[in-house]
Amino acid sequence: RVPETTIRRWIQQGEFPCTIRNGKPLINQATLISWAETKHLRLGSSVLGKKGNLVSDNLIAALEFGGIHYGLRGEDRDAVLRQLPEQLKLNKISPQKLETLLLERENQSSTALGKGVAVPHPRYQLPFSKSQSRVDVFFLSSAVEWDAPDRQPVHTLFLLLSAESSHHLKILSQIAGLLRQAGVEDFLHQAPTQDELLDYIQAKTSH
């Protein structure tokens, strides 16, 4: 509900999270959601969920369906994304296809959110059912540059694979909400187990 003229002014002033290519602004949905919430700009219920929860059962279920992966290697962003699909066992998409989709999306605009975290995801939804949206967490063996808004290198990836657009956006928003919680960056640096991560999220959102 922000006027277009205001957004254009923010872009000109360098205050809006976007990348200018061929004179046109490219906006990453996850980064936009995170930025809007830090600026206390209202987001619709279709993005945040009916009650506007920062982290809800959508993210918990997606993390439970996915998994935790340690020691992902790569000297730069593209090398990391080429290694990533080999650590997954997906029935409906090949590692080669997923690699192509992730690189295409990342070349459009960075999926880094800041605080050492990126949320790589395909540009288009995958042939999964909505209930099978999954988030896999990858802890890198060493941090790499990812063109993050806060310029910090990325050490943790939340790979998001989903089949339905609104569900996809809700989970993106919930991950962005998680990153605003105090102490989350230090916690992720510890490379927790899946159970530890789920317990941490539930503890942070139970009050």
Side-chain angles (χ1 to χ4, degrees):
R1 298 180 181 177
V2 175
E4 181 179 345
T5 53
T6 300
I7 294 176
R8 290 187 180 279
R9 174 167 52 81
W10 286 343
I11 291 174
Q12 292 174 351
Q13 295 172 344
E15 297 179 359
F16 192 77
C18 66
T19 301
I20 305 298
R21 291 187 182 174
N22 299 321
K24 296 181 178 180
L26 298 178
I27 303 167
N28 173 16
Q29 291 174 331
T31 303
L32 178 61
I33 289 169
S34 179
W35 176 86
E37 292 182 342
T38 60
K39 296 292 185 181
H40 304 291
L41 297 176
R42 181 180 178 183
L43 295 175
S45 60
S46 63
V47 175
L48 291 177
K50 292 181 179 179
K51 295 183 180 180
N53 292 334
L54 291 179
V55 181
S56 74
D57 290 344
N58 288 327
L59 177 55
I60 295 292
L63 285 166
E64 289 177 335
F65 189 66
I68 302 286
H69 311 267
Y70 302 94
L72 183 61
R73 296 182 179 276
E75 66 276 9
D76 56 27
R77 182 200 69 185
D78 287 4
V80 167
L81 292 176
R82 291 189 181 99
Q83 294 292 326
L84 183 154
E86 297 296 337
Q87 298 196 25
L88 298 176
K89 294 181 180 180
L90 302 176
N91 295 325
K92 296 185 178 181
I93 183 171
S94 69
Q96 295 77 17
K97 179 62 174 178
L98 180 58
E99 174 189 321
T100 298
L101 292 174
L102 293 177
L103 289 169
E104 286 179 348
R105 174 62 186 83
E106 209 67 50
N107 288 330
Q108 182 185 33
S109 62
S110 174
T111 60
L113 298 185
K115 293 189 176 180
V117 174
V119 188
H121 55 273
R123 182 179 178 185
Y124 304 105
Q125 278 65 58
L126 300 178
F128 302 150
S129 70
K130 179 178 177 180
S131 62
Q132 288 181 322
S133 293
R134 63 183 287 167
V135 172
D136 286 80
V137 180
F138 292 82
F139 296 107
L140 277 57
S141 59
S142 58
V144 299
E145 295 298 325
W146 212 281
D147 194 22
D150 61 1
R151 302 185 182 278
Q152 290 189 36
V154 162
H155 52 72
T156 304
L157 305 179
F158 283 74
L159 172 69
L160 173 56
L161 303 177
S162 58
E164 202 274 336
S165 179
S166 64
H167 197 239
H168 180 89
L169 288 176
K170 286 178 183 178
I171 296 176
L172 281 176
S173 175
Q174 291 155 12
I175 294 172
L178 173 64
L179 294 182
R180 291 198 309 280
Q181 301 294 313
V184 67
E185 187 172 9
D186 291 338
F187 175 74
L188 292 176
H189 265 300
Q190 300 171 20
T193 66
Q194 186 175 31
D195 287 343
E196 289 171 341
L197 179 58
L198 292 173
D199 288 345
Y200 180 87
I201 292 172
Q202 291 172 333
K204 285 290 185 180
T205 59
S206 62
H207 50 273

